[in-house]
Amino acid sequence: MRNVLKPFGTALMIALAMLLAGCPKKPTTQEAPPAPVEAPPAPAPDTSAADAAAAAARAAEQRLLAQTVIYFDFDRADIRPEFTEVIAAHARKLAASPGLKARLEGHTDERGSREYNIGLGERRAQSVRRALLLQSVGDGQLTTVSYGEERPAAEGHDEGAWAKNRRVEIVYSSQ
């Protein structure tokens, strides 16, 4: 029986020796890290979109600057909210051109005495002046005058005409 087990014993010994010896190690070679994947180049800025946006901004600014009349409520000298952007556009224009000057002409409708309307027109012009000065316009660039009811924009004795006459006009000069 010993002879029968002998081939198995030898095979077992060889297997055990191989197991203990282990497999030969592969030589370790350091592989270069993979090259970083570069991001694709950023697309060129869409100059047509940027140009269109800039053109739209210039057009909007020109529309605001085309409005040179600020309207007021009856017997009031405070600036209505819808005119804040108009005044801001004029302030940017004046601040960018220190040699440019503006005359702020205050007007009223026909209701009230001449003296009262001269005073109200002056208060309106001063209100616009203060708003411009707060936005970096130079003090020497602005003058005010009140015409009261003397120079109506619209003739008539109704609310439609009166509303057009309650105003401050921004008049530019380069002197």
Side-chain angles (χ1 to χ4, degrees), residues 103-119:
R103 183 177 62 247
L104 308 173
E105 299 177 347
H107 300 271
T108 65
D109 61 34
E110 64 185 13
R111 298 174 288 179
S113 70
R114 183 178 185 287
E115 295 79 19
Y116 180 81
N117 286 338
I118 291 290

Side-chain angles (χ1 to χ4, degrees), residues 47-172:
T47 55
S48 61
D51 290 345
R58 284 190 301 274
E61 188 79 357
Q62 288 304 314
R63 280 191 298 277
L64 290 170
L65 289 171
Q67 297 179 48
T68 58
V69 179
I70 310 300
Y71 292 100
F72 291 83
D73 291 327
F74 173 70
D75 203 26
R76 301 298 300 263
D78 49 325
I79 297 168
R80 297 185 341 206
E82 63 262 32
F83 294 105
T84 56
E85 282 301 314
V86 173
I87 291 172
H90 286 283
R92 286 188 292 273
K93 177 179 179 175
L94 285 160
S97 303
L100 188 60
K101 298 188 182 302
R103 183 177 62 247
L104 308 173
E105 299 177 347
H107 300 271
T108 65
D109 61 34
E110 64 185 13
R111 298 174 288 179
S113 70
R114 183 178 185 287
E115 295 79 19
Y116 180 81
N117 286 338
I118 291 290
L120 179 57
E122 181 64 25
R123 287 192 302 278
R124 289 175 175 166
Q126 289 297 329
S127 180
V128 173
R129 176 186 175 86
R130 279 189 303 277
L132 291 167
L133 291 174
L134 287 172
Q135 298 180 55
S136 301
V137 174
D139 186 48
Q141 291 180 271
L142 303 172
T143 57
T144 61
V145 63
S146 175
Y147 292 112
E149 62 190 79
E150 302 302 317
R151 295 187 179 182
E155 295 294 328
H157 309 288
D158 60 3
E159 186 55 41
W162 294 332
K164 291 177 184 171
N165 293 329
R166 298 188 301 256
R167 69 196 190 281
V168 167
E169 292 185 25
I170 302 171
V171 180
Y172 285 98

